[in-house]
């Protein structure tokens, strides 16, 4: 269920919002509704800059930050048509300001959580978000684990991410991305039912902070999953 919801950002976001998780303010637009976009934005009192993203993509594919009305429709068409010949809805959201984070939650065989220390993400100067290239090319963007904030804020991030993981029925592992706004509100933007597993990924960096090696972590994931299927 969690993974399926992750491939439908609109439904995922609605479920989080219904359960009291702060999410980015925004609207969604179906492919046949593009002419009504400005009316919808006005109704929800949303102003530029805005983030436009496809409903069913990951890794920042098809994402744009727009600052003017003239930029919006091309960005919307790009998101809707990110796969040629296969249109999809798009989300238009407020551009959040604050500390960007990524937080891993692990679960054991009894579904008890292990909350890893969140990572702070600082995207490159001259860019407006953590885009595909910065996510996957070595040495791009800056990452600080644990995040450079108070113990209270670290705790609040972990608790918000745990709550989101529970609501979305994630098990074994979750990676939740979002922002801490300047007023301290922890906003959930992108819950994932699996983390990237490159050697330098958020997952292994955060696990190392609590003394888990790559081998420890991978064995943990395998042990928990095998136990769920009663494979000893």
């Amino acid at each position: 269920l969690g993974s399926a919801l992750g491939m439908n950002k609109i439904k995922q976001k609605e479920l989080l919002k219904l359960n009291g998780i702060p999410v980015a303010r925004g609207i969604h637009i179906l492919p046949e509704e593009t002419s009504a976009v400005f009316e919808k934005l006005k109704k929800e009192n949303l102003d530029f800059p805005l983030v436009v993203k496809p409903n069913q993509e990951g890794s920042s594919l098809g994402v744009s930050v727009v600052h003017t009305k003239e930029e919006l429709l091309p960005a919307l068409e790009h998101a809707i048509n990110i796969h040629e010949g296969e249109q999809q809805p798009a989300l238009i959201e407020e551009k959040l300001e604050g500390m960007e984070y990524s937080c891993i939650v692990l679960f054991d065989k009894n579904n008890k959580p292990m909350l890893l220390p969140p990572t702070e993400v600082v995207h490159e100067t001259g860019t407006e978000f953590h885009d595909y290239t910065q996510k996957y090319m070595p040495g791009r963007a800056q990452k600080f684990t644990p995040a450079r904030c108070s113990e209270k804020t670290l705790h609040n991030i972990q608790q918000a991410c745990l709550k989101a993981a529970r609501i979305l029925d994630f098990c074994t592992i979750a990676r939740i991305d979002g922002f801490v706004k300047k007023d301290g509100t922890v906003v959930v933007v992108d819950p994932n039912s699996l983390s990237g597993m490159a050697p330098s990924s958020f997952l292994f960096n955060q696990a190392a902070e609590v003394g888990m090696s790559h081998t420890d972590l991978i064995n943990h994931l395998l042990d928990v999953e095998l136990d769920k299927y009663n494979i000893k």
Side-chain angles (χ1 to χ4, degrees), residues 204 207 211-223:
F204 292 123
M212 293 180 77
S213 68
H214 284 46
T215 301
D216 293 335
L217 181 57
I218 292 168
N219 282 341
H220 169 82
L221 299 178
L222 290 171
D223 287 343

Side-chain angles (χ1 to χ4, degrees), residues 149-160:
C149 58
S150 68
E151 289 295 327
K152 181 181 177 181
T153 299
L154 289 173
H155 174 78
N156 291 344
I157 292 170
Q158 290 173 322
Q159 292 304 311

Side-chain angles (χ1 to χ4, degrees), residues 2-198:
S3 295
L5 283 167
M7 295 310 296
N8 188 323
K9 291 182 175 64
I10 294 168
K11 295 295 184 190
Q12 186 185 64
K13 187 176 174 183
E14 286 173 356
L15 188 55
L16 291 172
K17 190 175 180 180
L18 281 170
N19 283 275
I21 298 284
V23 295
R25 292 175 55 244
I27 60 173
H28 65 267
I29 298 289
L30 301 177
E32 63 271 19
E33 291 182 324
T34 53
S35 60
V37 62
F38 294 109
E39 183 181 335
K40 276 193 156 191
L41 288 173
K42 186 177 180 181
K43 186 177 179 182
E44 295 298 322
N45 197 29
L46 286 164
D47 202 359
F48 297 93
L50 297 166
V51 179
V52 182
K53 57 188 178 186
N55 183 45
Q56 294 161 224
E57 300 303 320
S59 300
S60 298
L61 291 172
V63 175
S64 305
V65 175
V66 297
H67 296 268
T68 65
K69 287 184 176 182
E70 291 73 24
E71 293 174 338
L72 181 57
L73 287 178
L76 189 57
E77 290 293 332
H78 176 60
I80 289 171
N81 296 288
I82 190 66
H83 289 303
E84 191 175 347
E86 187 181 331
Q87 291 190 323
Q88 60 180 288
L91 293 86
I92 303 175
E93 297 176 340
E94 62 177 329
K95 187 177 185 299
L96 293 164
E97 299 296 337
M99 185 187 78
E100 186 170 355
Y101 70 82
S102 185
C103 184
I104 305 287
V105 181
L106 301 176
F107 297 93
D108 67 14
K109 295 174 185 178
N110 299 312
N111 210 29
K112 182 181 176 182
M114 179 192 299
L115 306 173
L116 300 187
T119 299
E120 175 188 354
V121 181
V122 181
H123 56 75
E124 292 178 325
T125 303
T127 63
E128 298 200 80
F129 64 99
H130 195 213
D131 57 26
Y132 183 92
T133 305
Q134 293 178 68
K135 285 180 175 178
Y136 295 108
M137 293 298 289
R140 305 292 296 269
Q142 288 183 288
K143 303 172 183 71
F144 299 92
T145 309
R148 300 172 299 175
C149 58
S150 68
E151 289 295 327
K152 181 181 177 181
T153 299
L154 289 173
H155 174 78
N156 291 344
I157 292 170
Q158 290 173 322
Q159 292 304 311
C161 292
L162 175 59
K163 185 177 178 182
R166 295 286 200 207
I167 289 164
L168 297 170
D169 200 30
F170 289 169
C171 56
T172 308
I173 184 172
R175 196 196 84 222
I176 316 290
D177 303 337
F179 286 83
V180 180
K181 294 168 64 175
K182 292 178 181 178
D183 66 1
T185 303
V186 179
V187 182
V188 170
V189 173
D190 185 21
N192 302 274
S193 59
L194 187 64
S195 173
M197 296 185 74

